[in-house]
Amino acid sequence: MNISLTKSKYNLNNQYKAIVIGGSAGSFQVISKILQNLPEDFQVPIIMCLHRLKDVRNGFVEALNIKSAKLIEEPEDKEQIRKGKIYLAPANYHLGVELGNTFTISTEGMFNNSRPAIDITFMTAAYVFRNKLIGILLSGANKDGALGMKRIAEKGGLTIIQEPSECLIDTMPTSALKETAIDYTLTTDEILDFLNQLHYHYV
Amino acid sequence: MLQQEIEISELRLITDLIKQKYDYDFGNYAMSSFKRRVARVLELYKMEGVPTLLRRLDIDAKFFKEFLAEITVNVTEMFRDPTFWVELKTHIIPHIRQNNENFSIWHAGCSSGEEVYSMAIVLEEMGILDNVKIVATDIDHVILDKAREARYHIKNMEVNKKNYTTFGGLYNLENYYKEESGKAVMDQNLVRNVEFREQNLVTGSAFSKFDLILCRNVMIYFNQTLQNQVLRLFHESLHKYAYLAIGSKESLIWCELANKFIVVNNEEKIYKKIRD
């Protein structure tokens, strides 16, 4: 790929400190494809909050790891967010970001019928990373993540949703669209392209 | 409940007032979850902002009790993480019993008591319930009353039953409760050796020595400073070679006293005190 030579349609820079990705029903294939095509030396930490079974603690991260180019980890409470890492919200906990760039987990009640809730991950990340955050919201059957996207936009971060017509269930991205202006509406392949272009700003 | 953005300076005003007026110290609670809890209170009581909350806290001691109940997180399950309870039953408790036939357990931050009853059921099924002294503590006396009464919503019992089955309990969970108007009323005989007492992990000091402390998913609401402090309290409250269990996604490795413990089971986050 020689994307760096073509003029980017995205206004990117190397100031981003983190990417948060939210997904629910219909997002697993998309996430898998993203992880599979990610450059091995991708720098920006990725924090994923995906709706998953509450009572199944093991298996999910392993399933994602089978095809992923990089190792995916479920962070522990107070763990430092590091460059080049990919994190997944653990089952039955909310995952948040705390000032000082550490993770924080919580067993509070469900938000939007979800624990982990995408809104919590996105909002806490927006609070800490401000305009240096990219939020990506994928296919899903409820409105979790919409308020989180709004908060990211308010703080000056970059917002991306999966092209609704491509989603298995488009409630999640369209809810975000109703809540806030979205910078880019992209297909899965375009998201891959976006991340690759972002990568070139960091190498 | 997530709509309101609250500033750190406002949280500081709240924690300062509570400390001064009621002698509870939330100053070292983890910021992001504490902020959400406060936002939740604002919404619950239809307050337009932190100044309203501050005025109310200042003049209304009864309201503070309600505030306390709302600010602490009381989401829990019986036999949460069934594999943890299997580990307790098959390894940890037998190890403790090798040295002491009679031993003691502290549930620190017991909330509405689900883990206390889980423990009692495990011990009962091992035939050793009367050999064990259990102390269950919480910061909030309202939730402690709930733990004592142990009348749980029947709809919550589905996940509890599922967990118990996964754990491999000897019977059906129904053996340990009876249904009364939509509530599962736990068999009080299970807690015959349990002492429920109000205790604040933040300001409290050691009151006894234990062979096992369970404090699962409690310290996640504290910042690192407070975690260090609470771990000192646990260290002081454990016999040498006694056990400490925390939540499966917590870790002691960032704590100052980490080197006084070894990991016994990293998956279930069970530690052993190895140095005084």
Side-chain angles (χ1 to χ4, degrees):
Chain A
M1 253 190 287
N2 207 357
I3 296 162
S4 58
L5 297 178
T6 61
K7 176 140 177 54
S8 174
K9 60 174 169 174
Y10 312 110
N11 181 21
L12 293 174
N13 59 55
N14 65 353
Q15 296 304 303
Y16 292 104
K17 298 283 187 228
I19 298 169
V20 285
I21 301 179
S24 188
S27 70
F28 188 83
Q29 303 301 335
V30 185
I31 286 282
S32 266
K33 202 166 173 188
I34 291 173
L35 295 173
Q36 206 174 336
N37 289 283
L38 211 56
E40 268 181 59
D41 54 346
F42 193 81
Q43 285 295 300
V44 189
I46 297 177
I47 304 162
M48 301 187 294
C49 181
L50 308 174
H51 292 165
R52 51 188 295 189
L53 292 173
K54 278 202 312 212
D55 57 343
V56 182
R57 203 168 75 178
N58 299 315
F60 196 74
V61 75
E62 289 83 352
L64 284 174
N65 264 325
I66 290 172
K67 288 193 167 174
S68 176
K70 290 166 70 81
L71 182 71
I72 303 150
E73 295 167 67
E74 291 181 355
E76 289 175 341
D77 187 50
K78 307 283 184 278
E79 188 174 330
Q80 192 78 34
I81 298 168
R82 294 193 188 284
K83 263 189 198 167
K85 292 271 194 180
I86 304 182
Y87 302 100
L88 175 71
N92 214 0
Y93 287 98
H94 295 299
L95 179 67
V97 177
E98 199 75 77
L99 290 173
N101 297 3
T102 57
F103 283 111
T104 174
I105 61 169
S106 134
T107 59
E108 284 158 272
M110 296 195 279
F111 289 109
N112 309 312
N113 278 316
S114 310
R115 187 172 55 230
I118 299 166
D119 276 340
I120 289 186
T121 304
F122 280 23
M123 284 183 175
T124 54
Y127 184 75
V128 171
F129 295 116
R130 309 259 156 182
N131 63 344
K132 297 180 171 53
L133 178 69
I134 298 170
I136 305 177
L137 194 61
L138 306 173
S139 173
N142 76 2
K143 61 177 176 50
D144 193 19
L147 290 175
M149 290 292 265
K150 187 182 176 197
R151 190 63 59 84
I152 293 172
E154 283 167 2
K155 301 283 181 196
L158 189 72
T159 52
I160 297 171
I161 54 169
Q162 188 183 357
E163 166 62 46
S165 66
E166 192 204 56
C167 292
L168 194 67
I169 303 168
D170 67 6
T171 315
M172 225 150 80
T174 52
S175 300
L177 264 177
K178 277 177 210 156
E179 205 61 60
T180 178
I182 296 294
D183 292 307
Y184 303 115
T185 300
L186 305 178
T187 63
T188 305
D189 286 336
E190 287 170 332
I191 294 172
L192 302 181
D193 177 48
F194 171 88
L195 292 172
N196 272 298
Q197 294 201 31
L198 181 68
H199 176 61
Y200 279 96
H201 289 270
Y202 287 81
V203 289
Chain B
M1 68 180 74
L2 293 164
Q3 294 276 18
Q4 296 220 39
E5 175 96 276
I6 297 168
E7 297 302 324
I8 290 180
S9 55
E10 293 181 299
L11 294 178
R12 212 37 86 202
L13 293 174
I14 297 171
T15 54
D16 286 351
L17 175 83
I18 291 173
K19 193 172 178 183
Q20 247 175 45
K21 194 136 184 124
Y22 302 105
D23 203 24
Y24 282 83
D25 191 354
F26 291 103
N28 281 318
Y29 269 50
M31 197 61 87
S32 68
S33 46
F34 187 69
K35 188 160 77 171
R36 274 197 304 280
R37 301 309 280 178
V38 170
R40 190 167 162 275
V41 170
L42 293 182
E43 187 165 296
L44 224 52
Y45 290 86
K46 301 193 169 30
M47 295 172 168
E48 67 263 36
V50 171
T52 316
L53 174 65
L54 285 168
R55 274 195 299 278
R56 187 80 186 269
L57 282 170
D58 194 28
I59 55 169
D60 189 348
K62 195 168 148 278
F63 171 74
F64 172 70
K65 290 283 172 192
E66 293 172 32
F67 175 85
L68 185 64
E70 293 302 338
I71 226 75
T72 49
V73 173
N74 290 305
V75 177
T76 173
E77 293 167 16
M78 298 178 81
F79 295 96
R80 182 178 169 130
D81 304 323
T83 49
F84 166 77
W85 296 93
V86 171
E87 177 67 12
L88 273 191
K89 181 180 170 176
T90 55
H91 292 112
I92 306 302
I93 293 172
H95 267 284
I96 296 172
R97 273 172 59 76
Q98 275 177 4
N99 299 317
N100 312 291
E101 200 188 340
N102 299 306
F103 61 98
S104 59
I105 299 173
W106 177 15
H107 289 267
C110 71
S111 187
S112 40
E114 277 84 343
E115 295 220 326
V116 181
Y117 285 86
S118 308
M119 180 65 82
I121 288 169
V122 171
L123 297 171
E124 173 77 358
E125 293 187 0
M126 293 175 82
I128 56 170
L129 184 55
D130 284 319
N131 297 90
V132 187
K133 168 78 189 152
I134 297 176
V135 181
T137 64
D138 202 274
I139 185 176
D140 173 18
H141 76 96
V142 178
I143 205 78
L144 266 180
D145 286 341
K146 286 194 175 145
R148 273 191 206 98
E149 284 173 20
R151 299 165 62 87
Y152 302 126
H153 270 292
I154 213 75
K155 69 172 165 60
N156 292 350
M157 294 313 279
E158 284 314 308
V159 64
N160 295 342
K161 281 195 276 193
K162 200 170 164 188
N163 287 345
Y164 175 76
T165 305
T166 313
F167 157 70
L170 294 185
Y171 312 103
N172 293 313
L173 194 57
E174 284 97 329
N175 284 32
Y176 299 105
Y177 65 87
K178 56 180 190 303
E179 267 190 70
E180 263 176 34
S181 50
K183 295 282 173 71
V185 183
M186 299 303 296
D187 183 355
Q188 285 296 310
N189 204 25
L190 285 170
V191 289
R192 59 185 181 266
N193 301 321
V194 178
E195 179 198 346
F196 290 97
R197 62 189 275 180
E198 200 173 323
Q199 203 249 7
N200 187 340
L201 288 173
V202 182
T203 49
S205 49
F207 54 89
S208 188
K209 289 245 183 202
F210 295 91
D211 299 287
L212 168 63
I213 296 176
L214 281 87
C215 185
R216 301 173 73 219
N217 301 315
V218 176
M219 290 194 283
I220 53 178
Y221 299 106
F222 303 161
N223 71 13
Q224 191 63 63
T225 307
L226 187 50
Q227 280 195 358
N228 289 338
Q229 181 190 323
V230 173
L231 189 61
R232 273 197 295 278
L233 170 64
F234 289 159
H235 179 262
E236 200 184 325
S237 305
L238 285 168
H239 294 295
K240 200 171 177 184
Y241 306 121
Y243 296 91
L244 170 64
I246 58 177
S248 63
K249 290 293 167 189
E250 297 179 65
S251 181
L252 294 189
I253 57 171
W254 296 287
C255 292
E256 287 164 0
L257 286 191
N259 67 342
K260 300 202 183 284
F261 292 86
I262 52 163
V263 183
V264 176
N265 184 320
N266 195 43
E267 188 76 4
E268 308 302 342
K269 290 294 163 11
I270 302 171
Y271 295 81
K272 184 186 234 176
K273 171 177 163 177
I274 52 157
R275 289 189 191 94
D276 279 321

